[in-house]
Amino acid sequence: MSHTQSTFHRWMRRLIVLFVVFMAYIIVADRYAPLTTESRVYGYVVQLAPEVSGPITAVAIRNNQSVEKGQLLFTINDSKYTIAVNKAKVALQQAYEQEKSLYAQVEAAIANTASSKANYTNAAAEYKRIRKLAKKNLVSMSMQDSAYARYQAAGSTLHAYQQQTLAIKAKLGDEVGGSSLVMAAKNNLDEAALSLSHTQIFAPNKGVITNLQLEVGAMASANQPMLTFISNDSLWVAADFREKATALISNRSAAYVTYDALPGQVFNFTVGSRDFGVASAQQTASGQLTSVEVSNRWVRDAQRIRVNLVSEEALPVQLFVGSRATVVLYPADSAWWQTLASLQIKLAGLLHYIY
């Protein structure tokens, strides 16, 4: 065998051994230090919608502007809502006047009740005297009947005034301003004032307004999204791993992350949670038979499951919702796998300079 052939065979054996070692590492590392490029930055995207309708009179922000919590975003014409508040104030004043009239009616009813009580007492005493005289045949039976009729009438009148007093007091409530009329008017005023306050839309939190398409004069409709808001405090990283790679995930698992936008930089994360399902396995009661998934491939595609990562530090400002990342998991209590995971993520970070 020539020297050239011997050298070739030697290098081929070395390459075969290297390939076998590399494949063995890939198989084992996919269990203990799995790596995925299917990772993104996620965030809560809020569609801001006004609670009242009307033409927009002012837009106080620009596209992709950072805003603070409570900062004014845009304003809706408040003319009709101001008029509604004024009407509600007038209605409240009228309710107070009606309540005052009810108090006067109570006083009158109390006076009438006192007068009726006196008449009733007098009629009762008169009927008692005449009944005694009638027993001695000193007066006629017709006089006794007339006295009894007056006694019954006085009792009915007294009862009517007592019930009238109770009915008016029930409308008034326990204190001044506690009548149903005033309370209803107050509620209407509060509702009108609330609608007026909703003509100004404020930022719900610290974040960014993006995809702004508002102009002065546009018509805002109640409960229809008008702005896209992304909270700065809601960003997190989620990675999709093959399900066999997540079998050994525990509360001791950690992660290294490198972003496409920041090649060469590595960030430390911990595993926050793993999703408990995927959409392809979701069943909906439709009244139909189950649709069976069919694959014609000899080796089917591996199912991926989402793993959510958390960090004590805020994400870099260069990132946005949808930024791509590469993630490698490792058991934090194993220095060996932590070292290998570090080498993997650094190599991936360097490759981000190229692609």
Side-chain angles (χ1 to χ4, degrees):
M1 181 182 294
S2 66
H3 177 72
T4 302
Q5 290 178 331
S6 176
T7 303
F8 174 77
H9 289 163
R10 186 169 56 254
W11 277 105
M12 285 300 298
R13 286 194 296 269
R14 291 175 179 176
L15 289 175
I16 291 173
V17 171
L18 181 62
F19 176 77
V20 171
V21 172
F22 180 73
M23 288 301 299
Y25 172 77
I26 291 296
I27 294 173
V28 176
D30 201 34
R31 295 279 288 175
Y32 293 93
L35 180 144
T36 181
T37 58
E38 297 298 323
S39 177
R40 290 183 183 272
V41 174
Y42 289 84
Y44 293 116
V45 180
V46 180
Q47 294 180 316
L48 296 182
E51 297 189 43
V52 296
S53 301
I56 297 175
T57 56
V59 179
I61 39 87
R62 62 183 183 276
N63 193 28
N64 296 319
Q65 177 181 338
S66 297
V67 295
E68 299 294 330
K69 182 178 180 179
Q71 182 175 338
L72 179 64
L73 302 179
F74 65 94
T75 304
I76 296 174
N77 191 314
D78 63 355
S79 299
K80 67 177 182 179
Y81 300 104
T82 302
I83 293 174
V85 169
N86 293 334
K87 284 184 177 180
K89 289 180 179 178
V90 172
L92 178 60
Q93 182 61 36
Q94 291 175 340
Y96 275 118
E97 293 173 356
Q98 292 178 17
E99 185 184 70
K100 187 176 181 180
S101 174
L102 289 176
Y103 275 109
Q105 293 178 32
V106 168
E107 295 297 328
I110 292 174
N112 290 333
T113 300
S115 177
S116 297
K117 188 174 183 180
N119 291 336
Y120 173 75
T121 302
N122 184 52
E126 182 181 4
Y127 171 65
K128 185 176 181 181
R129 289 194 302 270
I130 292 178
R131 187 176 59 178
K132 289 180 179 180
L133 294 175
K135 288 181 180 180
K136 298 177 181 180
N137 294 323
L138 297 178
V139 296
S140 64
M141 292 299 298
S142 62
M143 183 176 292
Q144 179 181 339
D145 293 341
S146 298
Y148 180 74
R150 289 192 295 274
Y151 166 67
Q152 292 292 328
S156 298
T157 302
L158 175 61
H159 181 72
Y161 279 124
Q162 287 175 337
Q163 295 303 312
Q164 181 182 8
T165 303
L166 292 176
I168 299 174
K169 285 184 176 180
K171 293 181 180 179
L172 288 173
D174 298 329
E175 58 184 359
V176 176
S179 66
S180 58
L181 293 172
V182 172
M183 292 179 65
K186 285 181 177 179
N187 288 337
N188 291 336
L189 178 57
D190 291 341
E191 184 178 359
L194 183 62
S195 296
L196 178 60
S197 68
H198 287 160
T199 58
Q200 290 186 320
I201 289 75
F202 301 93
N205 208 337
K206 182 178 180 181
V208 177
I209 299 296
T210 188
N211 194 28
L212 178 64
Q213 298 180 14
L214 281 185
E215 291 290 343
V216 174
M219 179 61 67
S221 298
N223 303 319
Q224 295 297 317
M226 303 292 293
L227 288 177
T228 303
F229 173 81
I230 300 176
S231 175
N232 285 345
D233 298 331
S234 70
L235 299 181
W236 76 95
V237 176
D240 298 334
F241 286 92
R242 289 185 296 273
E243 58 180 312
K244 71 171 184 177
T246 63
L248 300 181
I249 289 180
S250 66
N251 55 6
R252 299 186 302 274
S253 298
Y256 287 127
V257 177
T258 181
Y259 303 102
D260 290 11
L262 302 169
Q265 298 186 41
V266 178
F267 300 86
N268 294 311
F269 279 76
T270 57
V271 175
S273 64
R274 186 190 68 176
D275 285 5
F276 203 68
V278 293
S280 57
Q282 183 174 353
Q283 297 267 342
T284 303
S286 60
Q288 299 178 356
L289 297 179
T290 301
S291 177
V292 179
E293 183 177 353
V294 178
S295 176
N296 295 323
R297 300 183 60 178
W298 182 57
V299 179
R300 68 178 185 275
D301 292 335
Q303 177 62 55
R304 290 183 177 268
I305 190 70
R306 180 153 298 174
V307 176
N308 300 296
L309 307 177
V310 295
S311 174
E312 295 181 356
E313 299 181 0
L315 269 63
V317 296
Q318 296 91 336
L319 302 180
F320 53 88
V321 174
S323 290
R324 299 300 297 264
T326 301
V327 176
V328 59
L329 302 178
Y330 64 90
D333 54 357
S334 173
W336 168 255
W337 286 112
Q338 183 176 359
T339 301
L340 293 179
S342 177
L343 293 176
Q344 289 188 73
I345 200 67
K346 288 179 180 178
L347 177 60
L350 292 175
L351 290 176
H352 286 168
Y353 280 107
I354 301 173
Y355 66 93

PDB file of all heavy atoms in Angstrom, residues 39-68:
ATOM      1  N   SER A  39     -37.089  30.231  18.600  1.00  0.00           N
ATOM      2  CA  SER A  39     -37.349  31.013  19.808  1.00  0.00           C
ATOM      3  C   SER A  39     -37.585  32.461  19.429  1.00  0.00           C
ATOM      4  O   SER A  39     -36.955  32.974  18.487  1.00  0.00           O
ATOM      5  CB  SER A  39     -36.166  30.891  20.771  1.00  0.00           C
ATOM      6  OG  SER A  39     -36.365  31.689  21.908  1.00  0.00           O
ATOM      7  N   ARG A  40     -38.464  33.094  20.160  1.00  0.00           N
ATOM      8  CA  ARG A  40     -38.804  34.493  19.883  1.00  0.00           C
ATOM      9  C   ARG A  40     -39.013  35.267  21.186  1.00  0.00           C
ATOM     10  O   ARG A  40     -39.213  34.672  22.245  1.00  0.00           O
ATOM     11  CB  ARG A  40     -40.091  34.607  19.051  1.00  0.00           C
ATOM     12  CG  ARG A  40     -39.974  34.143  17.612  1.00  0.00           C
ATOM     13  CD  ARG A  40     -41.279  34.375  16.875  1.00  0.00           C
ATOM     14  NE  ARG A  40     -41.237  33.894  15.517  1.00  0.00           N
ATOM     15  CZ  ARG A  40     -40.812  34.599  14.476  1.00  0.00           C
ATOM     16  NH1 ARG A  40     -40.384  35.846  14.667  1.00  0.00           N
ATOM     17  NH2 ARG A  40     -40.805  34.088  13.262  1.00  0.00           N
ATOM     18  N   VAL A  41     -38.992  36.582  21.031  1.00  0.00           N
ATOM     19  CA  VAL A  41     -39.396  37.476  22.113  1.00  0.00           C
ATOM     20  C   VAL A  41     -40.905  37.707  21.972  1.00  0.00           C
ATOM     21  O   VAL A  41     -41.387  38.091  20.910  1.00  0.00           O
ATOM     22  CB  VAL A  41     -38.640  38.817  22.044  1.00  0.00           C
ATOM     23  CG1 VAL A  41     -39.181  39.787  23.102  1.00  0.00           C
ATOM     24  CG2 VAL A  41     -37.150  38.589  22.246  1.00  0.00           C
ATOM     25  N   TYR A  42     -41.629  37.455  23.044  1.00  0.00           N
ATOM     26  CA  TYR A  42     -43.069  37.638  23.044  1.00  0.00           C
ATOM     27  C   TYR A  42     -43.440  38.775  23.996  1.00  0.00           C
ATOM     28  O   TYR A  42     -42.662  39.151  24.885  1.00  0.00           O
ATOM     29  CB  TYR A  42     -43.784  36.352  23.472  1.00  0.00           C
ATOM     30  CG  TYR A  42     -43.717  35.251  22.437  1.00  0.00           C
ATOM     31  CD1 TYR A  42     -42.603  34.408  22.362  1.00  0.00           C
ATOM     32  CD2 TYR A  42     -44.740  35.058  21.528  1.00  0.00           C
ATOM     33  CE1 TYR A  42     -42.522  33.400  21.412  1.00  0.00           C
ATOM     34  CE2 TYR A  42     -44.668  34.051  20.575  1.00  0.00           C
ATOM     35  CZ  TYR A  42     -43.554  33.235  20.525  1.00  0.00           C
ATOM     36  OH  TYR A  42     -43.490  32.242  19.579  1.00  0.00           O
ATOM     37  N   GLY A  43     -44.618  39.302  23.800  1.00  0.00           N
ATOM     38  CA  GLY A  43     -45.110  40.377  24.662  1.00  0.00           C
ATOM     39  C   GLY A  43     -46.606  40.508  24.539  1.00  0.00           C
ATOM     40  O   GLY A  43     -47.213  40.018  23.582  1.00  0.00           O
ATOM     41  N   TYR A  44     -47.222  41.154  25.532  1.00  0.00           N
ATOM     42  CA  TYR A  44     -48.662  41.366  25.511  1.00  0.00           C
ATOM     43  C   TYR A  44     -48.972  42.570  24.617  1.00  0.00           C
ATOM     44  O   TYR A  44     -48.579  43.692  24.915  1.00  0.00           O
ATOM     45  CB  TYR A  44     -49.195  41.606  26.915  1.00  0.00           C
ATOM     46  CG  TYR A  44     -49.085  40.390  27.799  1.00  0.00           C
ATOM     47  CD1 TYR A  44     -48.275  40.397  28.930  1.00  0.00           C
ATOM     48  CD2 TYR A  44     -49.780  39.233  27.496  1.00  0.00           C
ATOM     49  CE1 TYR A  44     -48.164  39.281  29.733  1.00  0.00           C
ATOM     50  CE2 TYR A  44     -49.676  38.107  28.300  1.00  0.00           C
ATOM     51  CZ  TYR A  44     -48.874  38.136  29.411  1.00  0.00           C
ATOM     52  OH  TYR A  44     -48.760  37.023  30.202  1.00  0.00           O
ATOM     53  N   VAL A  45     -49.661  42.290  23.527  1.00  0.00           N
ATOM     54  CA  VAL A  45     -50.073  43.350  22.603  1.00  0.00           C
ATOM     55  C   VAL A  45     -51.515  43.723  22.940  1.00  0.00           C
ATOM     56  O   VAL A  45     -52.419  42.887  22.834  1.00  0.00           O
ATOM     57  CB  VAL A  45     -49.955  42.881  21.139  1.00  0.00           C
ATOM     58  CG1 VAL A  45     -50.400  43.995  20.195  1.00  0.00           C
ATOM     59  CG2 VAL A  45     -48.521  42.462  20.841  1.00  0.00           C
ATOM     60  N   VAL A  46     -51.720  44.967  23.363  1.00  0.00           N
ATOM     61  CA  VAL A  46     -53.035  45.430  23.818  1.00  0.00           C
ATOM     62  C   VAL A  46     -53.657  46.306  22.732  1.00  0.00           C
ATOM     63  O   VAL A  46     -53.017  47.242  22.236  1.00  0.00           O
ATOM     64  CB  VAL A  46     -52.914  46.223  25.132  1.00  0.00           C
ATOM     65  CG1 VAL A  46     -54.294  46.691  25.603  1.00  0.00           C
ATOM     66  CG2 VAL A  46     -52.245  45.373  26.199  1.00  0.00           C
ATOM     67  N   GLN A  47     -54.875  45.989  22.377  1.00  0.00           N
ATOM     68  CA  GLN A  47     -55.629  46.829  21.444  1.00  0.00           C
ATOM     69  C   GLN A  47     -56.453  47.825  22.252  1.00  0.00           C
ATOM     70  O   GLN A  47     -57.409  47.441  22.921  1.00  0.00           O
ATOM     71  CB  GLN A  47     -56.536  45.970  20.556  1.00  0.00           C
ATOM     72  CG  GLN A  47     -55.784  45.057  19.603  1.00  0.00           C
ATOM     73  CD  GLN A  47     -56.714  44.219  18.755  1.00  0.00           C
ATOM     74  OE1 GLN A  47     -57.690  43.665  19.233  1.00  0.00           O
ATOM     75  NE2 GLN A  47     -56.425  44.122  17.478  1.00  0.00           N
ATOM     76  N   LEU A  48     -56.037  49.080  22.214  1.00  0.00           N
ATOM     77  CA  LEU A  48     -56.732  50.112  22.980  1.00  0.00           C
ATOM     78  C   LEU A  48     -57.970  50.575  22.223  1.00  0.00           C
ATOM     79  O   LEU A  48     -57.894  50.958  21.059  1.00  0.00           O
ATOM     80  CB  LEU A  48     -55.801  51.296  23.236  1.00  0.00           C
ATOM     81  CG  LEU A  48     -54.563  51.003  24.095  1.00  0.00           C
ATOM     82  CD1 LEU A  48     -53.762  52.273  24.307  1.00  0.00           C
ATOM     83  CD2 LEU A  48     -54.959  50.402  25.420  1.00  0.00           C
ATOM     84  N   ALA A  49     -59.103  50.532  22.909  1.00  0.00           N
ATOM     85  CA  ALA A  49     -60.373  50.928  22.306  1.00  0.00           C
ATOM     86  C   ALA A  49     -61.066  51.936  23.216  1.00  0.00           C
ATOM     87  O   ALA A  49     -61.095  51.750  24.436  1.00  0.00           O
ATOM     88  CB  ALA A  49     -61.278  49.715  22.087  1.00  0.00           C
ATOM     89  N   PRO A  50     -61.615  53.011  22.654  1.00  0.00           N
ATOM     90  CA  PRO A  50     -62.362  53.973  23.483  1.00  0.00           C
ATOM     91  C   PRO A  50     -63.678  53.367  23.952  1.00  0.00           C
ATOM     92  O   PRO A  50     -64.197  52.434  23.332  1.00  0.00           O
ATOM     93  CB  PRO A  50     -62.589  55.149  22.525  1.00  0.00           C
ATOM     94  CG  PRO A  50     -62.594  54.526  21.170  1.00  0.00           C
ATOM     95  CD  PRO A  50     -61.602  53.394  21.231  1.00  0.00           C
ATOM     96  N   GLU A  51     -64.210  53.895  25.037  1.00  0.00           N
ATOM     97  CA  GLU A  51     -65.490  53.417  25.563  1.00  0.00           C
ATOM     98  C   GLU A  51     -66.653  54.309  25.131  1.00  0.00           C
ATOM     99  O   GLU A  51     -67.801  54.022  25.470  1.00  0.00           O
ATOM    100  CB  GLU A  51     -65.435  53.323  27.086  1.00  0.00           C
ATOM    101  CG  GLU A  51     -64.414  52.312  27.577  1.00  0.00           C
ATOM    102  CD  GLU A  51     -64.506  52.051  29.061  1.00  0.00           C
ATOM    103  OE1 GLU A  51     -65.643  51.927  29.560  1.00  0.00           O
ATOM    104  OE2 GLU A  51     -63.461  51.978  29.723  1.00  0.00           O
ATOM    105  N   VAL A  52     -66.349  55.380  24.393  1.00  0.00           N
ATOM    106  CA  VAL A  52     -67.385  56.256  23.856  1.00  0.00           C
ATOM    107  C   VAL A  52     -67.079  56.521  22.384  1.00  0.00           C
ATOM    108  O   VAL A  52     -65.954  56.291  21.915  1.00  0.00           O
ATOM    109  CB  VAL A  52     -67.472  57.593  24.635  1.00  0.00           C
ATOM    110  CG1 VAL A  52     -67.890  57.351  26.072  1.00  0.00           C
ATOM    111  CG2 VAL A  52     -66.129  58.323  24.582  1.00  0.00           C
ATOM    112  N   SER A  53     -68.070  57.002  21.678  1.00  0.00           N
ATOM    113  CA  SER A  53     -67.911  57.290  20.246  1.00  0.00           C
ATOM    114  C   SER A  53     -67.863  58.790  20.002  1.00  0.00           C
ATOM    115  O   SER A  53     -68.378  59.589  20.798  1.00  0.00           O
ATOM    116  CB  SER A  53     -69.072  56.673  19.459  1.00  0.00           C
ATOM    117  OG  SER A  53     -69.135  55.278  19.643  1.00  0.00           O
ATOM    118  N   GLY A  54     -67.245  59.160  18.882  1.00  0.00           N
ATOM    119  CA  GLY A  54     -67.176  60.556  18.502  1.00  0.00           C
ATOM    120  C   GLY A  54     -65.974  60.846  17.631  1.00  0.00           C
ATOM    121  O   GLY A  54     -65.056  60.023  17.529  1.00  0.00           O
ATOM    122  N   PRO A  55     -65.943  62.015  17.016  1.00  0.00           N
ATOM    123  CA  PRO A  55     -64.791  62.385  16.183  1.00  0.00           C
ATOM    124  C   PRO A  55     -63.560  62.689  17.031  1.00  0.00           C
ATOM    125  O   PRO A  55     -63.669  63.243  18.129  1.00  0.00           O
ATOM    126  CB  PRO A  55     -65.274  63.637  15.436  1.00  0.00           C
ATOM    127  CG  PRO A  55     -66.357  64.200  16.303  1.00  0.00           C
ATOM    128  CD  PRO A  55     -67.020  63.037  16.960  1.00  0.00           C
ATOM    129  N   ILE A  56     -62.387  62.317  16.540  1.00  0.00           N
ATOM    130  CA  ILE A  56     -61.137  62.573  17.246  1.00  0.00           C
ATOM    131  C   ILE A  56     -60.717  64.020  17.024  1.00  0.00           C
ATOM    132  O   ILE A  56     -60.647  64.490  15.886  1.00  0.00           O
ATOM    133  CB  ILE A  56     -60.046  61.608  16.764  1.00  0.00           C
ATOM    134  CG1 ILE A  56     -60.432  60.166  17.102  1.00  0.00           C
ATOM    135  CG2 ILE A  56     -58.695  61.952  17.386  1.00  0.00           C
ATOM    136  CD1 ILE A  56     -59.478  59.133  16.555  1.00  0.00           C
ATOM    137  N   THR A  57     -60.455  64.711  18.111  1.00  0.00           N
ATOM    138  CA  THR A  57     -60.096  66.131  18.025  1.00  0.00           C
ATOM    139  C   THR A  57     -58.598  66.376  18.210  1.00  0.00           C
ATOM    140  O   THR A  57     -58.105  67.439  17.835  1.00  0.00           O
ATOM    141  CB  THR A  57     -60.863  66.940  19.079  1.00  0.00           C
ATOM    142  OG1 THR A  57     -60.598  66.394  20.392  1.00  0.00           O
ATOM    143  CG2 THR A  57     -62.369  66.870  18.814  1.00  0.00           C
ATOM    144  N   ALA A  58     -57.887  65.422  18.794  1.00  0.00           N
ATOM    145  CA  ALA A  58     -56.446  65.613  19.008  1.00  0.00           C
ATOM    146  C   ALA A  58     -55.767  64.262  19.169  1.00  0.00           C
ATOM    147  O   ALA A  58     -56.312  63.358  19.808  1.00  0.00           O
ATOM    148  CB  ALA A  58     -56.194  66.482  20.239  1.00  0.00           C
ATOM    149  N   VAL A  59     -54.576  64.138  18.558  1.00  0.00           N
ATOM    150  CA  VAL A  59     -53.732  62.949  18.714  1.00  0.00           C
ATOM    151  C   VAL A  59     -52.432  63.418  19.358  1.00  0.00           C
ATOM    152  O   VAL A  59     -51.689  64.206  18.765  1.00  0.00           O
ATOM    153  CB  VAL A  59     -53.455  62.259  17.369  1.00  0.00           C
ATOM    154  CG1 VAL A  59     -52.549  61.056  17.572  1.00  0.00           C
ATOM    155  CG2 VAL A  59     -54.754  61.834  16.712  1.00  0.00           C
ATOM    156  N   ALA A  60     -52.161  62.947  20.585  1.00  0.00           N
ATOM    157  CA  ALA A  60     -51.060  63.482  21.377  1.00  0.00           C
ATOM    158  C   ALA A  60     -49.779  62.668  21.256  1.00  0.00           C
ATOM    159  O   ALA A  60     -48.785  62.993  21.917  1.00  0.00           O
ATOM    160  CB  ALA A  60     -51.475  63.570  22.843  1.00  0.00           C
ATOM    161  N   ILE A  61     -49.764  61.626  20.433  1.00  0.00           N
ATOM    162  CA  ILE A  61     -48.570  60.780  20.322  1.00  0.00           C
ATOM    163  C   ILE A  61     -48.248  60.552  18.850  1.00  0.00           C
ATOM    164  O   ILE A  61     -49.057  60.840  17.963  1.00  0.00           O
ATOM    165  CB  ILE A  61     -48.763  59.440  21.070  1.00  0.00           C
ATOM    166  CG1 ILE A  61     -50.185  58.878  20.904  1.00  0.00           C
ATOM    167  CG2 ILE A  61     -48.482  59.611  22.546  1.00  0.00           C
ATOM    168  CD1 ILE A  61     -50.410  58.051  19.717  1.00  0.00           C
ATOM    169  N   ARG A  62     -47.062  60.026  18.613  1.00  0.00           N
ATOM    170  CA  ARG A  62     -46.635  59.693  17.262  1.00  0.00           C
ATOM    171  C   ARG A  62     -46.330  58.201  17.187  1.00  0.00           C
ATOM    172  O   ARG A  62     -46.242  57.521  18.218  1.00  0.00           O
ATOM    173  CB  ARG A  62     -45.413  60.509  16.847  1.00  0.00           C
ATOM    174  CG  ARG A  62     -44.188  60.252  17.704  1.00  0.00           C
ATOM    175  CD  ARG A  62     -43.024  61.138  17.302  1.00  0.00           C
ATOM    176  NE  ARG A  62     -41.820  60.834  18.073  1.00  0.00           N
ATOM    177  CZ  ARG A  62     -41.560  61.321  19.259  1.00  0.00           C
ATOM    178  NH1 ARG A  62     -42.413  62.165  19.834  1.00  0.00           N
ATOM    179  NH2 ARG A  62     -40.445  60.983  19.893  1.00  0.00           N
ATOM    180  N   ASN A  63     -46.140  57.702  15.997  1.00  0.00           N
ATOM    181  CA  ASN A  63     -45.927  56.270  15.807  1.00  0.00           C
ATOM    182  C   ASN A  63     -44.623  55.814  16.463  1.00  0.00           C
ATOM    183  O   ASN A  63     -43.602  56.499  16.404  1.00  0.00           O
ATOM    184  CB  ASN A  63     -45.902  55.945  14.308  1.00  0.00           C
ATOM    185  CG  ASN A  63     -46.008  54.460  14.048  1.00  0.00           C
ATOM    186  OD1 ASN A  63     -46.590  53.718  14.831  1.00  0.00           O
ATOM    187  ND2 ASN A  63     -45.450  54.001  12.939  1.00  0.00           N
ATOM    188  N   ASN A  64     -44.688  54.630  17.120  1.00  0.00           N
ATOM    189  CA  ASN A  64     -43.549  54.019  17.798  1.00  0.00           C
ATOM    190  C   ASN A  64     -42.984  54.879  18.918  1.00  0.00           C
ATOM    191  O   ASN A  64     -41.795  54.806  19.239  1.00  0.00           O
ATOM    192  CB  ASN A  64     -42.438  53.677  16.795  1.00  0.00           C
ATOM    193  CG  ASN A  64     -42.885  52.637  15.783  1.00  0.00           C
ATOM    194  OD1 ASN A  64     -43.566  51.681  16.119  1.00  0.00           O
ATOM    195  ND2 ASN A  64     -42.512  52.852  14.530  1.00  0.00           N
ATOM    196  N   GLN A  65     -43.836  55.680  19.516  1.00  0.00           N
ATOM    197  CA  GLN A  65     -43.412  56.529  20.627  1.00  0.00           C
ATOM    198  C   GLN A  65     -43.535  55.774  21.948  1.00  0.00           C
ATOM    199  O   GLN A  65     -44.503  55.061  22.192  1.00  0.00           O
ATOM    200  CB  GLN A  65     -44.271  57.795  20.696  1.00  0.00           C
ATOM    201  CG  GLN A  65     -43.933  58.696  21.883  1.00  0.00           C
ATOM    202  CD  GLN A  65     -44.809  59.931  21.938  1.00  0.00           C
ATOM    203  OE1 GLN A  65     -45.377  60.335  20.934  1.00  0.00           O
ATOM    204  NE2 GLN A  65     -44.939  60.526  23.109  1.00  0.00           N
ATOM    205  N   SER A  66     -42.545  55.933  22.804  1.00  0.00           N
ATOM    206  CA  SER A  66     -42.616  55.375  24.157  1.00  0.00           C
ATOM    207  C   SER A  66     -43.482  56.292  25.018  1.00  0.00           C
ATOM    208  O   SER A  66     -43.357  57.525  24.953  1.00  0.00           O
ATOM    209  CB  SER A  66     -41.214  55.251  24.765  1.00  0.00           C
ATOM    210  OG  SER A  66     -40.431  54.352  24.011  1.00  0.00           O
ATOM    211  N   VAL A  67     -44.351  55.702  25.786  1.00  0.00           N
ATOM    212  CA  VAL A  67     -45.256  56.477  26.628  1.00  0.00           C
ATOM    213  C   VAL A  67     -45.173  55.971  28.061  1.00  0.00           C
ATOM    214  O   VAL A  67     -44.791  54.828  28.324  1.00  0.00           O
ATOM    215  CB  VAL A  67     -46.718  56.368  26.128  1.00  0.00           C
ATOM    216  CG1 VAL A  67     -46.861  57.004  24.752  1.00  0.00           C
ATOM    217  CG2 VAL A  67     -47.182  54.916  26.084  1.00  0.00           C
ATOM    218  N   GLU A  68     -45.537  56.843  28.990  1.00  0.00           N
ATOM    219  CA  GLU A  68     -45.585  56.503  30.404  1.00  0.00           C
ATOM    220  C   GLU A  68     -47.020  56.182  30.808  1.00  0.00           C
ATOM    221  O   GLU A  68     -47.972  56.562  30.111  1.00  0.00           O
ATOM    222  CB  GLU A  68     -45.047  57.665  31.253  1.00  0.00           C
ATOM    223  CG  GLU A  68     -43.602  58.028  30.975  1.00  0.00           C
ATOM    224  CD  GLU A  68     -42.638  56.924  31.373  1.00  0.00           C
ATOM    225  OE1 GLU A  68     -42.948  56.177  32.326  1.00  0.00           O
ATOM    226  OE2 GLU A  68     -41.562  56.811  30.734  1.00  0.00           O
TER     227      GLU A  68
END
